[in-house]
Amino acid sequence: MTSPIQTLEQHLLTALDPAPQETRRLFHGRGRCWAGLEQVTVDWLQGVLSVALFREPPEGQLAELEAMLRSLAERPQWTGQAILMQHRYLPDSPGQWLLGEPCQQREVVEDGLTYLLDLGVRQNNGLFLDMRYGRRWVREQAAGKRVLNLFAYTCGFSVAAIAGGAEQVVNLDMAKSALSRGRDNHRLNGHDASRVAYLGHELFKSWGKVRKYGPYDLIIIDPPTFQRGSFVLTQDYAKILRRLPELLSQGGTVLACVNDPGIGPEFLIEGMAQQAPSLAFVERLENPPEFPDADPAGGLKALVFRQG
């Protein structure tokens, strides 16, 4: 009988033959499609194999996983330089380098755009790979538009928007260190810094500053599910939705996102109908194929709305 780790090994051998040219998720156990591997994800960071564990593995599985990963580097399919394992279930999400020289930062490419990631030093590396199609959609929509990027994090949407010809992007996030990385990402892509603004503020205390830059043709809302002391998705999302009509230009568009497996797309569709009825639901963006999910409503929800 094939063990879960043997199943994972076969997936990785296939995914690395050949290795993707750009950064990609190679295995998405959190979509609950493979029994015994629900806690495992594996990303290819263009030379670094990054393995994340979201729960403590069953007894004996961690040693089997480490042995499999080390043996992977001896296979002909392997073209990488390092293997990083991150224990996301432990405080501070410590990183463990199983192979190669530890490196705290790495540049990766997605859709031809460059992003600087942190490896093994923070809970998240700086780029959520499941939002690849969302960033691509923003890039395709952005030409000539004024864009508001709420909960901007490291400004991935902003990089995509400027690459797509946006007139201006305003990034808001209370984490000034994340916005600083956003500046790095724009510099890496040679973007005009005068077209990008950064607001290092807590959103609900900053509506005046946000309005000052508007109105906006495109607003992106990609919040955390929970941010201690500042945002609880089920309580606070509605406060954002009801502000949208006054922030949008006529015919403006909103990309509203939720990434909690327990919350389906109807949360946003019904919430928008109640809080901002002038905005009509247009479509839900597809998720990349490397993010399969046993429940279609369980993965990332990225929904497009348009003001009539």
Side-chain angles (χ1 to χ4, degrees):
M1 183 175 175
T2 303
S3 74
I5 299 304
Q6 289 172 323
T7 298
L8 176 60
E9 180 181 33
Q10 289 306 309
H11 276 274
L12 295 181
L13 288 171
T14 301
L16 292 169
D17 188 19
Q21 303 242 323
E22 296 190 339
T23 190
R24 285 289 184 276
R25 173 132 314 166
L26 301 185
F27 183 81
H28 186 60
R30 301 191 81 197
R32 298 155 295 172
C33 295
W34 294 279
L37 294 169
E38 296 86 351
Q39 74 276 17
V40 183
T41 65
V42 183
D43 294 331
W44 175 250
L45 306 180
Q46 290 162 273
V48 174
L49 194 73
S50 179
V51 182
L53 301 176
F54 290 82
R55 290 199 316 268
E56 184 174 6
E59 185 176 353
Q61 192 184 76
L62 182 59
E64 185 186 1
L65 175 60
E66 290 183 12
M68 181 275 285
L69 292 170
R70 289 190 172 98
S71 70
L72 194 70
E74 300 171 4
R75 299 294 191 104
Q77 293 95 330
W78 176 253
T79 58
Q81 298 97 45
I83 298 176
L84 170 66
M85 182 183 292
Q86 189 175 20
H87 298 267
R88 290 284 299 267
Y89 57 92
L90 293 176
D92 300 323
S93 301
Q96 173 189 4
W97 292 89
L98 300 180
L99 179 79
E101 287 295 317
C103 55
Q104 292 194 345
Q105 293 184 339
R106 190 171 190 86
E107 292 180 17
V108 300
V109 176
E110 178 196 82
D111 278 351
L113 298 173
T114 303
Y115 301 89
L116 183 61
L117 305 189
D118 295 307
L119 303 188
V121 294
R122 305 180 197 279
Q123 185 179 73
N124 296 308
N125 64 26
L127 190 70
F128 294 110
L129 301 186
D130 57 350
M131 194 57 85
R132 177 162 64 93
Y133 282 2
R135 286 184 286 271
R136 181 181 295 175
W137 180 88
V138 166
R139 187 175 183 175
E140 292 168 349
Q141 302 294 318
K145 292 183 178 176
R146 298 180 64 82
V147 180
L148 173 62
N149 185 19
L150 297 177
F151 306 95
Y153 189 39
T154 58
C155 305
F157 281 118
S158 180
V159 169
I162 293 295
E167 177 185 323
Q168 171 132 50
V169 182
V170 176
N171 294 292
L172 184 142
D173 199 290
M174 64 186 296
K176 292 182 173 65
S177 61
L179 293 178
S180 179
R181 176 53 50 82
R183 288 186 176 89
D184 294 335
N185 287 333
H186 276 292
R187 277 196 296 268
L188 283 171
N189 291 282
H191 290 163
D192 181 353
S194 69
R195 291 160 62 195
V196 188
Y198 304 89
L199 301 178
H201 304 293
E202 199 271 305
L203 174 59
F204 298 116
K205 299 174 182 176
S206 308
W207 290 116
K209 295 182 177 69
V210 171
R211 274 196 302 271
K212 184 178 72 172
Y213 286 92
Y216 302 95
D217 307 302
L218 172 59
I219 297 177
I220 302 153
I221 314 166
D222 186 20
T225 300
F226 176 79
Q227 197 169 59
R228 187 177 299 278
S230 67
F231 190 83
V232 178
L233 188 142
T234 52
Q235 298 174 21
D236 295 328
Y237 216 128
K239 300 175 188 175
I240 303 172
L241 299 182
R242 71 175 65 119
R243 294 273 188 167
L244 294 175
E246 68 189 68
L247 296 173
L248 280 168
S249 61
Q250 183 63 26
T253 304
V254 173
L255 179 64
C257 309
V258 170
N259 200 0
D260 182 329
I263 297 177
E266 67 282 351
F267 170 81
L268 287 174
I269 295 171
E270 294 171 4
M272 192 73 81
Q274 292 169 4
Q275 303 296 334
S278 63
L279 276 82
F281 172 63
V282 178
E283 63 175 328
R284 176 182 175 182
L285 302 185
E286 289 187 6
N287 289 330
E290 61 268 26
F291 287 86
D293 202 293
D295 177 7
L300 169 68
K301 278 73 64 173
L303 276 60
V304 177
F305 298 85
R306 185 161 294 122
Q307 177 143 283

